[in-house]
Amino acid sequence: MIRIKISPGDFLLYLLFLKIRLMAMKYLPLMHNFDGKTCLIVGGGKVALRRAKNVLAAGGIVDVIAPTCLPELCDLVHQHKSGRQQGQQHQGKLQQKQYQAEDIDPRYALVIAATNDRQINQAIAQQCKTKNILVNVVDDSSLCDVTFPAIVDRNPILVAISSGSASPQFSKLLRDRINTFIPNGYGKLAELFGRYRKRVKSSIPKPQDRTVFWNKVVHGYIAESALSGNLEQAESQLKNAIENHRKLEQCGEVYLIGAGPGDPDLLTLRALRLLQQSEVIIYDRLVAPEILSRLEQGKDLIYVGKQRANHSVPQQQINELLIRYANQGKRVARLKGGDPFIFGRGGEEIENLAAHNIPFQVIPGITAANGCASYAGIPLTHRDHAQSVRFVTGQLQNGTVSLNWAELIAPDQTLVFYMGLQGLPIICKNLIKHGAATNTPAALIEKGTTLHQKVHISTLGELAALLESIEIHAPTLTIVGSVVNLHASLRWFNKSV
Ligand code: SAH
């Protein structure tokens, strides 16, 4: 038996802490089943309209009293039949008149005072209190029994946010943030899981086994199928998983994720969500450290970055790592700089996963060419300059670059070279040799999209000499073509007011 000793002082402190915590909640959050209940709204303006929409969406009936009423609100009241239960379809009433105390009828489950007259609002609140009816007064929390939270609606999932009337603006800000992070498909997902809860309960009787099962389902490929819009597939996978739940527990998966070129804000929402739910993250040299530091603790972070002439972990070993962790039932993120399918060997890695029957998905990232071009103010295509763009990587063999030079010298084409500095002089020389003008503009972008980004503007004829004269840090990318001339006018324009 374990005994924990608590001194009387500690105990008092604990009670005090508990009291502070209990007192800290200004409102009691409840979800009100309003189906088939009636709400009176006094007022016919924009706020009344917003509130009416909320009440109707929850299956309520809306009566409105107002001398004048927005046409949209009139239509809503007249056309909407509320109450979801059979035989309970009711329509609200609109009375175009001044409010009177007798209007507050005990059949109302809620009254909303939404007039722009403070005295009338106060009188409504007073009447409601004497008749014991819940009241909400717009813009006056001191008179309210209940307030309307900001909501994120992914029916049947509902997130309600209240700032305790301190700052509705803040609640809205938070709502917008949460809105961006909850994928649209969450409601459908919850609905699907809800339908199978009973079946899961009877097939997996032990509660702790069920927790493991749902954890796998919610964080794994089944949820992902539903979130990417494929509900049928998700449902058949779920049925399968219920029948083979022991197998599901041992089944890991791999997310091949593009981390973007450097600025951590360029990570996609899906990438961030999958990173957060991964248990192991295997990452490359080009992945921004800020991305890794944004992830919570408790994940295995494995660096497999490759550097030229210093292959820290060979590709074969990376492939084996992915298989090993996935076979341990882990969710593994394979995080690569830029986009995994652009000079990222992503294709080889997933071929290997497919061969081992391991579920995977690929999450695109912003490739270096796009990121660097945007941040440097160099559009890769432009009606007056370039109708096509080529992403090229130069394979260095014994200090030489082997490329199809003739193909690269097409008119009105932008070239983007993904590679270090070593091969650049050879590239410039060969492009000129095969017909490119020596004054063709070229931009060398180092550490693109990061806080340390530098853009060096030159020409094919002069780039090699420039490389000799300045210190440049990897990674670097080179853009060649007349679009480079636009850099001078399209650089980020930050005007302070
Ligand atoms: N999959 C990556 C590219 C990997 S190849 C992508 O889609 O971006 C590696 C090369 O990408 C580097 O040698 C460099 O040329 C380029 N690169 C990647 N990140 C860069 C950055 N932030 N700035 C400049 N070049 C970058």
Side-chain angles (χ1 to χ4, degrees), residues 209-226:
D209 289 350
R210 275 204 304 276
T211 309
V212 174
F213 174 83
W214 278 122
N215 195 12
K216 274 277 176 193
V217 170
V218 170
H219 289 114
Y221 62 88
I222 300 177
E224 287 307 317
S225 297

Side-chain angles (χ1 to χ4, degrees), residues 341-354:
F341 278 1
I342 296 207
F343 309 130
R345 302 188 75 172
E348 294 161 51
E349 290 180 14
I350 56 172
E351 264 169 33
N352 192 44
L353 295 169

Side-chain angles (χ1 to χ4, degrees), residues 261-262 286 337-340 342-344 366-369 372 417-420 445-450 475-477:
L286 286 173
D339 179 87
I342 296 207
F343 309 130
I366 292 182
T367 188
C372 293
F417 291 97
Y418 282 69
M419 58 192 300
I445 300 160
E446 65 175 277
K447 297 192 174 217
T449 77
T450 71
T476 57
L477 181 115

